[in-house]
């Protein structure tokens, strides 16, 4: 910290944080507006179903992701088997897949007219659906499986890191006491990894609550689809805000429950990653079982969907490769790049004030600005549109007061609303990345800079920025990819006539024509692989 740190920097950080937290306040205020006609009708009819489906989906997806991620993470971290070095990073690849694309691919494969049921009818001589039973994909259970396949890497990554950082001496002690691999896993590895698993499950549940495209495609009514339908179908912004407030309550309760469960838990262990000599050497059927499990999981979550997309893209390349595709790709790249630079710039400001200010209250802006990541895209759209609409009306009323023609919807009807929403949604990613880089810079550098008479601006530009390059690059990269994939906010807030790759692909998915949007989906996947490669290299260097 720097004694005598200028209050002007703190004031600027608070103004930034207030702008980033504006949607949260707008939702809470808008939710207080009376609307008994629409919301009262929802409460009496379908609202209990929406809430039940949302909670059930969060529970099933979290449990499913835990069940498939934990065994893979433990095998990769604690065992040696064929393909281990490849699987440890390849199992992160499903994060690059949009969930609604995976849902469409499996629906196309498993529907009555799809190749799987067609092959079963041909082999067994069945003539109609009455001759056999096949589970329906477009159900709550089907949506849970699709989301678990895409989201399990969140838990896998955290669990793998937790298993690898567990002290080797504890493993040696368990072996001395006669505990085999299975007993050591249940009695030692799993309980010690509980904090990481809880955080991973909470992330998966939050992403599930925020999902719109998958549940909409599967016709599973949840709170996110209810916000969309209430806003656009019933035209009631107040009722949509009330539903958004319920989603926020569920998300914040989930975060609070996760932290409360770990409030008294403390782990003290030597943070030394295990070596190849300290892993269980699997052989024979056990080795092939571990390899087979990881291979099947990777095939189902990433390999098969990508293979199907490549086939679609090849067959429909001449139809997809057109001027619209290039324009939508350029739109996505432009928005993502602008948002990445804006979020990094403000994250640098917030974290610099938090590091250098001697006032404890100046830690609040960075935390306040990070609340946007907890807002699902549909909820964020409500929170952004409300204040910007009021601002537009105020500007046009001012023009009318001076008898001038107003500029129209310059905030809520242009790309500004989309950039603003994306910046709020992903500011937490940039803040987290730069915060981690700041932890590696010794405070003595700040003290030495002050002793040499340097002002805060010079300290930031000449001392901190060169040392934060890796964190800044990672922040730009991660925010860029998230902007490329974000769908609900783009779908609700895009200006008239504006499309990006995410909305372009979703339109084909909703029209049952993914074949024509497969090329756009592949571009999103390929761009999403970049941060995963960077993340894997960072983990390898750290280990």
């Amino acid at each position: 910290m720097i004694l005598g740190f200028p209050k002007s920097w703190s004031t600027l950080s608070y103004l930034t944080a207030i702008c980033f937290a504006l949607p949260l306040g707008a939702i809470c205020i808008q939710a207080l507006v009376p609307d008994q006609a629409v919301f009262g009708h929802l409460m009496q009819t379908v609202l209990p179903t929406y809430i039940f489906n949302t909670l059930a989906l969060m529970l099933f997806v979290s449990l499913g992701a835990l069940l498939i991620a934990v065994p893979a993470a433990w095998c990769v971290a604690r065992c040696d088997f064929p393909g281990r070095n490849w699987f440890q990073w390849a199992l992160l690849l499903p994060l690059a897949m949009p969930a609604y694309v995976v849902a469409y691919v499996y629906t196309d494969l498993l529907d009555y007219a799809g190749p799987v049921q067609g092959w079963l009818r041909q082999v067994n001589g069945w003539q109609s659906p009455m001759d056999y039973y096949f589970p329906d994909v477009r159900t709550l259970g089907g949506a849970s499986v699709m989301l678990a396949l895409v989201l399990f890497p969140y838990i896998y990554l955290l669990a793998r890191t937790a298993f690898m950082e567990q002290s080797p001496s504890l493993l040696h002690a368990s072996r001395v006491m006669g505990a085999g691999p299975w007993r050591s896993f249940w009695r030692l590895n799993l309980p010690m990894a509980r904090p990481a698993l809880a955080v991973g499950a909470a992330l998966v549940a939050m992403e599930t609550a925020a999902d719109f495209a998958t549940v909409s495609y599967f016709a599973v009514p949840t709170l996110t689809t209810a916000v969309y339908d209430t806003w656009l179908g019933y035209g009631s912004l107040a009722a949509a805000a009330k539903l958004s407030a319920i989603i926020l309550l569920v998300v914040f309760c989930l975060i609070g429950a996760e932290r409360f469960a770990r409030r008294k838990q403390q782990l003290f262990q030597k943070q030394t990653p295990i070596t190849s000599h300290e892993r269980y050497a699997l052989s024979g059927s056990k080795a092939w079982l571990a390899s087979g499990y990881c291979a099947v999981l990777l095939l189902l979550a990433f390999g098969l969907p990508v293979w199907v997309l490549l086939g679609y893209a090849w067959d429909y390349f001449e139809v997809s490769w057109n001027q619209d595709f290039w324009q939508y790709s350029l739109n996505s790249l432009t928005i993502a790049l602008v948002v990445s630079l804006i979020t990094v710039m403000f994250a640098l400001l917030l974290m610099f004030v938090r590091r250098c200010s001697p006032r404890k209250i100046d830690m609040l802006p960075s935390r306040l600005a990070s609340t946007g990541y907890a807002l699902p895209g549909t909820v964020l759209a409500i929170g952004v549109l409300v204040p910007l609409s009021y601002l537009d009306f105020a500007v046009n009323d001012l023009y009318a007061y001076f008898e001038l023609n107003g500029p129209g919807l310059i905030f809520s009807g242009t790309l500004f609303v989309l950039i603003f929403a994306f910046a709020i949604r992903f500011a937490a990613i940039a803040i987290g990345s730069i915060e981690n880089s700041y932890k590696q810079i010794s405070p003595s550098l700040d003290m030495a800079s002050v002793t040499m008479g340097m002002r805060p601006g010079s300290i930031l530009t000449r001392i901190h920025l060169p040392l934060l390059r890796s964190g800044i690059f990672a922040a730009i990269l991660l925010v860029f990819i998230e902007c490329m994939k974000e769908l609900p906010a783009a779908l609700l807030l895009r200006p008239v006539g504006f499309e990006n790759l995410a909305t372009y692909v979703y339109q084909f998915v909703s029209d049952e024509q993914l074949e024509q949007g497969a090329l756009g989906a592949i571009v999103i996947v390929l761009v999403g692989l970049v941060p995963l490669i960077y993340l894997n290299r960072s983990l390898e260097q750290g280990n």
Side-chain angles (χ1 to χ4, degrees), residues 399-530:
Y399 270 77
Y401 178 80
F402 290 102
E403 299 182 353
L404 299 173
N405 293 327
L409 303 178
I410 57 175
F411 295 109
S412 61
T414 62
L415 285 178
F416 178 85
V417 66
L418 206 56
I419 293 173
F420 185 52
F422 280 16
I424 293 172
R425 179 85 165 90
F426 304 120
I429 297 176
I431 291 173
S433 178
I434 293 175
E435 181 181 7
N436 289 333
S437 294
Y438 255 127
K439 290 179 181 179
Q440 302 176 19
I441 301 177
S442 174
S444 61
L445 291 177
D446 302 343
M447 301 175 188
S449 302
V450 173
T451 303
M452 297 173 64
M454 296 182 66
R455 300 180 65 83
S458 298
I459 294 174
L460 176 60
T461 56
R462 299 178 62 184
I463 304 297
H464 290 177
L465 286 182
L467 298 174
L468 292 172
R469 283 180 299 180
S470 61
I472 292 174
F473 175 73
I476 292 176
L477 194 61
L478 293 173
V479 173
F480 184 91
I481 302 308
E482 289 296 331
C483 290
M484 292 286 293
K485 294 171 58 178
E486 175 62 25
L487 175 66
L491 202 61
L492 290 169
L493 297 175
R494 56 184 172 164
V496 176
F498 180 85
E499 296 277 357
N500 62 4
L501 279 180
T503 59
Y504 170 72
V505 173
Y506 177 72
Q507 292 298 333
F508 284 113
V509 171
S510 59
D511 293 338
E512 303 283 349
Q513 295 178 344
L514 178 61
E515 297 87 352
Q516 299 183 34
L519 187 61
I522 290 176
V523 172
I524 295 176
V525 172
L526 291 178
V527 174
L529 294 179
V530 176

Side-chain angles (χ1 to χ4, degrees), residues 154-188:
Y154 283 109
I155 298 177
Y156 163 78
L157 178 60
L158 294 172
R160 190 193 81 172
T161 303
F163 288 142
M164 293 181 69
E165 291 182 347
Q166 291 174 1
S167 175
S169 61
L170 296 175
L171 179 61
H172 299 159
S174 67
R175 288 177 174 177
V176 171
M177 297 176 68
W182 185 247
R183 189 175 179 186
S184 295
F185 169 75
W186 280 108
R187 300 291 298 274
L188 181 65

Side-chain angles (χ1 to χ4, degrees), residues 291-310:
S291 299
Y293 177 78
C294 293
V296 170
L297 182 57
L298 182 61
L299 176 66
L300 294 177
F302 184 78
L304 185 58
V306 168
W307 179 260
V308 173
L309 287 178
L310 289 174

Side-chain angles (χ1 to χ4, degrees), residues 10-23 346 349-350 364-371 424:
S10 301
T11 302
L12 186 57
S13 70
Y14 270 99
L15 291 176
T16 301
I18 290 173
C19 290
F20 277 79
L22 195 60
F346 285 115
L349 168 66
L350 295 171
L364 181 60
S366 60
R367 296 177 180 175
L368 194 62
S370 300
T371 57
I424 293 172

Side-chain angles (χ1 to χ4, degrees), residues 24-107:
L24 184 60
I27 291 171
C28 296
I29 294 174
Q30 188 68 29
L32 298 177
V33 176
D35 186 4
Q36 293 300 323
V38 177
F39 189 73
H41 174 70
L42 293 176
M43 289 184 63
Q44 297 175 2
T45 54
V46 294
L47 184 57
T49 302
Y50 290 151
I51 296 176
F52 173 80
N53 286 344
T54 301
L55 296 178
L57 190 67
M58 293 168 64
L59 177 63
F60 293 155
V61 174
S62 300
L63 289 177
L66 281 169
L67 289 175
I68 61 180
V70 172
W74 186 79
C75 288
V76 167
R78 287 289 177 176
C79 302
D80 267 329
F81 57 91
R84 174 195 168 275
N85 292 333
W86 186 74
F87 284 124
Q88 70 174 346
W89 66 267
L91 287 172
L92 296 174
L93 295 179
L95 280 179
M97 291 293 301
Y100 57 92
V101 173
V102 176
Y104 180 90
V105 168
Y106 276 103
T107 301

Side-chain angles (χ1 to χ4, degrees), residues 241-457:
K242 295 180 189 297
L243 293 172
S244 301
I246 296 175
I247 298 177
L248 290 180
L249 180 62
V250 172
V251 171
F252 288 134
C253 286
L254 180 67
I255 296 174
E258 184 271 326
R259 292 182 177 178
F260 180 80
R262 298 188 292 114
R263 68 193 186 283
K264 295 182 179 180
Q265 190 171 39
Q266 294 180 335
L267 295 176
F268 301 96
Q269 54 180 319
K270 183 180 178 182
Q271 300 295 324
T272 304
I274 62 173
T275 63
S276 58
H277 301 290
E278 294 165 334
R279 299 191 188 100
Y280 296 107
L282 302 183
S283 60
S285 60
K286 293 181 179 179
W288 289 109
L289 181 62
S291 299
Y293 177 78
C294 293
V296 170
L297 182 57
L298 182 61
L299 176 66
L300 294 177
F302 184 78
L304 185 58
V306 168
W307 179 260
V308 173
L309 287 178
L310 289 174
Y312 287 159
W314 178 264
D315 293 337
Y316 289 82
F317 182 79
E318 294 183 0
V319 177
S320 303
W321 189 265
N322 51 38
Q323 184 62 35
D324 288 341
F325 172 77
W326 281 103
Q327 183 61 52
Y328 301 154
S329 301
L330 180 61
N331 291 344
S332 292
L333 294 173
T334 303
I335 293 292
L337 182 60
V338 171
V339 173
S340 301
L341 296 177
I342 290 175
T343 53
V344 167
M345 180 179 64
F346 285 115
L348 282 170
L349 168 66
L350 295 171
M351 291 311 304
F352 178 70
V353 173
R354 178 174 176 175
R355 175 184 176 88
C356 297
S357 175
R359 296 177 288 272
K360 291 185 178 180
I361 195 173
D362 286 341
M363 298 180 64
L364 181 60
S366 60
R367 296 177 180 175
L368 194 62
S370 300
T371 57
Y373 193 68
L375 303 179
T378 50
V379 176
L380 178 64
I382 299 287
V384 167
L385 195 62
V386 170
L388 292 186
S389 297
Y390 280 115
L391 186 59
D392 276 329
F393 283 119
V395 171
N396 285 273
D397 289 342
L398 183 62
Y399 270 77
Y401 178 80
F402 290 102
E403 299 182 353
L404 299 173
N405 293 327
L409 303 178
I410 57 175
F411 295 109
S412 61
T414 62
L415 285 178
F416 178 85
V417 66
L418 206 56
I419 293 173
F420 185 52
F422 280 16
I424 293 172
R425 179 85 165 90
F426 304 120
I429 297 176
I431 291 173
S433 178
I434 293 175
E435 181 181 7
N436 289 333
S437 294
Y438 255 127
K439 290 179 181 179
Q440 302 176 19
I441 301 177
S442 174
S444 61
L445 291 177
D446 302 343
M447 301 175 188
S449 302
V450 173
T451 303
M452 297 173 64
M454 296 182 66
R455 300 180 65 83

